[in-house]
Amino acid sequence: MADYALLRKLNLKNPWHLIAVGFGSGLSPKAPGTAGSFLAMFICMGLIMAPWYAALIAAIVFFFLGVKACNEAEKAMGTHDHGGLVVDEFVGMFITVIAFPQGQWHLAFLAFVVFRFFDILKPFPVNVADRKITGGLGVMVDDVLAGIYSLIACHIILYFTGTALFI
């Protein structure tokens, strides 16, 4: 659950703060990470309709924006990796849908479920990155790793269901 006293220190007119809280999805009183991933799922539907590299470009751009945004939000809040900072969920979701079969927008729901599984489970080295890396980079890296796990898992699922793009 997000600590609203800290969230009130953010100025949502500041674009860095707005990006950090996933355009408001991180303000959810319950499960802000899931809320951020859920909003990102709808963006992923569009990314899946585009060429495969659109998700890669989105992940890279949002990663760098997210590091800066989380640094700014952490300064304002005076805390590290607050639950309301969910731009990292966007990046993890964007990584998850890289090279999904183009046009199969409904597979964004698979990405959502698999990414939430790995983001919550935090298998090695996700758990280490979550504990050891600080600042905006620390907020982002564990979800990048969870996104990579999710990408691999989803492509295995897509392979065995006959919907794989490259395999």
Side-chain angles (χ1 to χ4, degrees), residues 121-134 138 141-142 145:
L121 181 65
K122 296 196 185 313
F124 179 83
V126 178
N127 57 356
V128 175
D130 187 48
R131 287 191 321 267
K132 300 280 185 185
I133 305 172
T134 61
V141 168
D142 65 307
L145 296 171

Side-chain angles (χ1 to χ4, degrees), residues 103-153:
Q104 302 290 316
W105 61 268
H106 61 281
L107 293 174
F109 183 72
L110 170 67
F112 171 77
V113 171
V114 173
F115 175 72
R116 290 309 302 149
F117 173 79
F118 284 108
D119 190 34
I120 293 166
L121 181 65
K122 296 196 185 313
F124 179 83
V126 178
N127 57 356
V128 175
D130 187 48
R131 287 191 321 267
K132 300 280 185 185
I133 305 172
T134 61
L137 182 63
V139 174
M140 302 300 292
V141 168
D142 65 307
D143 285 78
V144 167
L145 296 171
I148 292 168
Y149 273 117
S150 302
L151 170 71
I152 293 166

Side-chain angles (χ1 to χ4, degrees), residues 5-85:
L6 293 174
L7 286 172
R8 281 192 285 273
K9 293 182 176 183
L10 296 178
N11 175 1
L12 296 183
K13 291 180 181 176
N14 178 328
W16 295 119
H17 294 181
L18 189 61
I19 290 168
V21 295
F23 307 101
S25 59
L27 302 176
S28 172
K30 297 198 190 235
T34 299
S37 299
F38 188 74
L39 179 57
M41 178 181 70
F42 292 99
I43 298 169
C44 287
M45 289 177 179
L47 292 173
I48 292 169
M49 298 302 289
W52 72 268
Y53 51 83
L56 176 63
I57 292 167
I60 292 168
V61 168
F62 268 77
F63 175 80
F64 288 108
L65 289 173
V67 170
K68 171 71 173 164
C70 289
N71 278 333
E72 295 297 320
E74 284 187 340
K75 276 190 246 173
M77 297 168 78
T79 189
H80 173 63
D81 205 359
H82 185 277
L85 305 181

